[in-house]
């Protein structure tokens, strides 16, 4: 029997970065969440600055509120993190960054880590960048296997990357890497921008589709429910009807939410439970 949808929802803290991590966790618990996707970035948990004591403190904050981390999502879409970089220094830094993220996920008893392939120059063939990303992701998969952490590989939009922007690209990269330690994640904004459907993702990946980012948009924007034009309820209905049993989280990035992050999270949570 499938777990109820309500128990598979997670709050995410990326739009809370102007507030303390404890404030986000208090809101998540008060709103009825039992799970979170932990965005790791300044000032909540900057991987390059966090000490072992910082990580222990974060774990204690979660335990005190009975919140389970289902995915660790390091900040990685901005300079200087790019697994596909042609520059040796950036490539080394990026690999070390994600190796550290694997260690942190293990310490937090978080079973999954979100990764992206990076990008190559838009005015050049992506072949070399693809090969560099594949090599780097393969190294990460080997380490993740040792630590018992699953890597969730996420497609990006065409403005963010020229490597993995569709389910076809994602499937090809997973096949090239050839590791069972890598699973798929679906972002509803990126999916819609690529002209794809939830059913296509579930059909292609089956049980290897582990997590979904719920976000409204036009089609992009990573907005709260109703602030864009996407048929979010239809998307989730389709996934559930297809037999999807993984988790969902709400991912918002608009500056409109930075000073009052609870309102869009609470609204989106309520809308989903009422409409699906």
């Amino acid at each position: 029997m499938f777990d109820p949808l309500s128990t598979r929802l997670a709050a995410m803290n990326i739009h809370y970065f102007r507030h303390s991590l404890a404030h986000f966790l208090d809101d998540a618990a008060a709103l009825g969440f039992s799970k979170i996707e932990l965005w790791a970035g300044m000032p909540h948990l900057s991987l390059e600055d966090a000490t072992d004591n910082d990580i222990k403190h974060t774990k204690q904050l979660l335990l005190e509120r009975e919140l389970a981390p289902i995915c660790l999502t390091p900040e990685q879409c901005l300079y200087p993190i790019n697994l596909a970089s042609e520059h040796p220094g950036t490539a080394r830094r990026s690999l070390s960054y994600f190796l550290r993220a694997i260690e942190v996920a293990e310490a937090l008893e978080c079973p999954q880590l979100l990764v992206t392939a990076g990008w190559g120059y838009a005015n050049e063939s992506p072949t070399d960048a693809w090969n560099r990303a594949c090599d780097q992701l393969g190294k990460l998969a080997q380490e993740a296997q040792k630590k018992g952490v699953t890597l969730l590989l996420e497609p990006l939009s065409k403005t963010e990357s020229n490597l993995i922007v569709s389910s076809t690209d994602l499937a090809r990269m997973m096949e090239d890497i050839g590791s069972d330690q890598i699973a798929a994640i679906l972002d509803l904004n990126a999916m819609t921008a690529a002209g794809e459907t939830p059913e296509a993702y579930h059909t292609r990946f089956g049980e290897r589709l582990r997590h979904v980012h719920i976000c409204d948009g036009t089609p992009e924007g990573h907005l709260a429910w109703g602030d864009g034009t996407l048929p979010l309820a239809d998307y989730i209905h389709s996934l559930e009807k297809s037999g999807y049993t993984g988790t969902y989280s709400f991912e918002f990035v608009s500056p409109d939410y930075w000073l009052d992050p609870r309102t869009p999270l609470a609204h989106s949570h309520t809308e989903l439970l009422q409409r699906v």
Side-chain angles (χ1 to χ4, degrees):
M1 185 175 181
F2 296 160
D3 291 334
L5 178 60
S6 60
T7 67
R8 291 154 50 212
L9 303 179
M12 188 177 180
N13 58 310
I14 189 169
H15 70 297
Y16 270 80
F17 82 100
R18 295 286 297 275
H19 302 258
S20 69
L21 178 60
H23 180 76
F24 160 71
L25 297 175
D26 285 341
D27 279 358
L31 291 171
F33 288 96
S34 60
K35 298 177 174 62
I36 67 158
E37 178 177 346
L38 182 60
W39 170 75
M42 192 282 294
H44 289 177
L45 189 67
S46 177
L47 295 180
E48 295 175 308
D49 300 326
T51 65
D52 289 345
N53 284 337
D54 291 331
I55 296 166
K56 290 177 182 177
H57 178 63
T58 299
K59 186 174 181 179
Q60 185 60 36
L61 291 176
L62 294 168
L63 289 171
E64 289 171 355
R65 294 158 180 81
E66 298 182 340
L67 291 168
I70 58 160
C71 181
L72 180 68
T73 300
E75 178 54 57
Q76 59 198 268
C77 289
L78 302 174
Y79 174 86
I81 303 302
N82 179 8
L83 285 173
S85 176
E86 67 173 359
H87 298 283
T90 301
R92 285 194 301 269
R93 180 194 299 113
S94 301
L95 183 64
S96 296
Y97 180 79
F98 281 108
L99 289 172
R100 174 59 171 162
I102 291 171
E103 293 177 349
V104 172
E106 181 191 30
L108 292 174
E109 299 182 41
C110 182
Q112 301 176 134
L113 173 70
L114 187 148
V115 294
T116 54
W119 49 273
Y121 292 126
N123 63 321
E124 296 181 3
S125 167
T127 300
D128 289 342
W130 178 279
N131 292 335
R132 289 191 296 267
C134 184
D135 179 66
Q136 296 268 68
L137 287 165
K139 293 174 182 176
L140 292 175
Q142 291 177 3
E143 188 63 26
Q145 185 174 24
K146 297 175 186 177
K147 303 293 187 181
V149 176
T150 297
L151 302 182
L152 299 182
L153 186 54
E154 183 181 38
L156 298 173
S157 71
K158 291 181 179 180
T159 58
E160 295 171 314
S161 178
N162 60 344
L163 300 181
I164 302 178
V165 297
S166 69
S167 65
T168 300
D169 298 333
L170 178 56
R172 177 187 161 209
M173 181 62 82
M174 290 169 69
E175 182 177 359
D176 285 358
I177 296 167
S179 171
D180 291 337
Q181 210 63 30
I182 295 182
I185 178 172
L186 165 59
D187 181 285
L188 295 179
N189 275 188
M191 177 203 77
T192 307
E196 298 189 281
T197 65
E199 299 95 330
Y201 262 80
H202 190 265
T203 298
R204 185 183 290 274
F205 298 108
E207 293 184 355
R208 295 190 75 182
L209 178 61
R210 303 288 177 80
H211 189 55
V212 175
H213 279 161
I214 300 173
C215 37
D216 212 336
T218 57
E220 298 181 66
H222 285 83
L223 305 176
W225 194 296
D227 287 351
T229 59
L230 303 187
L232 296 182
D234 292 343
Y235 287 164
I236 298 169
H237 272 299
S238 296
L239 283 166
E240 294 295 295
K241 186 177 180 180
S242 298
Y244 175 68
T245 60
T247 49
Y248 300 86
S249 65
F250 298 99
E251 186 182 42
F252 312 138
V253 300
S254 171
D256 291 343
Y257 311 136
W258 290 354
L259 298 185
D260 178 21
R262 176 171 173 150
T263 294
L265 179 60
H267 171 75
S268 298
H269 189 213
T270 300
E271 286 292 302
L272 186 153
L273 293 178
Q274 289 181 345
R275 293 174 179 271
V276 179

